[in-house]
C-alpha cells in the first residue's frame, strides 16, 4: 500500500505560492493543507512535478509536459490522471489580481477563476493512512 501525505500551500511572499509536502523550502511560510497525495510510486498513479515559471516567479505543479514559459523540476508527489475511488479533482485556478496559479480542490477562492483539472488526489476531510 501507498501512504498518503498532506500537500501544503506554502508562501514565499505576497504573491508566490508553492504546493508540496513538508518541510518548507527555504524562505517559505507554511500555509494550509490543500489535499492529500501519494508519497511513493503506485501502479495507477503518475509523478507530479514542480515547474518553475520565471515570468510569474512561481512553481506550478502538474504532470509533464511543461507549460509555456516553464522549466520542469523535481517530482513532488504522485497523483492520478483519472478519478479513482475516493479521489477528487485538483484544478489549477488563475487569479488575475496577483497573476498567479493555485492548485486545490473546488471551490475557487475569492478572485480565482477555475481552469482545468490537473490531477486527482484525496480530500483532507476523508483522510485515510494508506491506499
Amino acid at each position: 500500500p501507498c501512504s498518503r501525505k498532506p500537500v501544503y500551500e506554502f508562501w514565499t511572499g505576497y504573491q508566490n505560492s508553492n504546493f508540496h509536502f513538508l518541510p518548507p523550502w527555504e524562505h517559505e511560510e507554511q500555509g494550509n493543507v490543500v489535499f492529500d497525495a501519494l508519497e511513493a510510486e503506485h501502479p495507477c498513479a503518475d509523478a507530479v512535478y514542480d515547474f518553475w515559471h520565471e515570468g510569474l516567479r512561481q512553481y506550478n505543479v502538474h504532470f509533464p509536459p511543461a507549460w509555456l514559459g516553464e522549466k520542469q523540476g523535481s517530482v513532488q508527489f504522485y497523483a492520478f490522471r483519472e478519478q479513482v475511488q475516493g479521489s477528487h479533482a485538483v484544478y489549477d485556478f488563475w487569479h488575475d489580481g496577483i497573476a498567479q496559479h493555485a492548485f486545490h480542490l473546488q471551490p475557487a477562492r475569492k478572485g480565482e477563476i477555475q481552469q482545468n483539472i490537473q490531477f486527482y488526489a484525496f480530500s483532507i476531510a476523508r483522510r485515510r493512512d494508506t491506499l
Side-chain angles (χ1 to χ4, degrees):
C2 288
S3 257
R4 297 181 193 180
K5 286 178 64 176
V7 173
Y8 290 82
E9 183 168 21
F10 295 90
W11 294 92
T12 57
Y14 171 70
Q15 297 181 24
N16 305 64
S17 59
N18 302 326
F19 299 84
H20 57 84
F21 295 137
L22 290 173
W25 298 343
E26 188 176 358
H27 306 296
E28 284 186 330
E29 261 185 62
Q30 182 179 325
N32 294 322
V33 175
V34 287
F35 52 84
D36 284 355
L38 303 178
E39 65 178 328
E41 291 183 56
H42 182 277
C44 298
D46 290 316
V48 175
Y49 289 80
D50 66 68
F51 294 84
W52 176 248
H53 192 291
E54 183 65 33
L56 298 175
R57 309 281 309 150
Q58 176 187 21
Y59 285 101
N60 296 321
V61 288
H62 55 83
F63 295 123
W67 298 343
L68 183 65
E70 291 182 335
K71 289 187 180 176
Q72 185 171 326
S74 304
V75 174
Q76 294 304 314
F77 48 84
Y78 293 84
F80 304 96
R81 291 184 184 272
E82 304 293 330
Q83 190 167 24
V84 299
Q85 185 175 356
S87 70
H88 299 274
V90 175
Y91 292 84
D92 70 285
F93 294 86
W94 177 252
H95 193 296
D96 270 333
I98 59 173
Q100 292 286 293
H101 287 280
F103 299 83
H104 56 83
L105 306 175
Q106 292 177 318
R109 300 171 186 159
K110 184 177 180 179
E112 290 181 341
I113 300 165
Q114 181 178 307
Q115 301 290 300
N116 300 303
I117 295 172
Q118 294 304 315
F119 48 84
Y120 291 86
F122 299 100
S123 166
I124 58 173
R126 306 184 101 198
R127 182 174 290 156
R128 290 191 310 202
D129 292 334
T130 59
L131 175 66

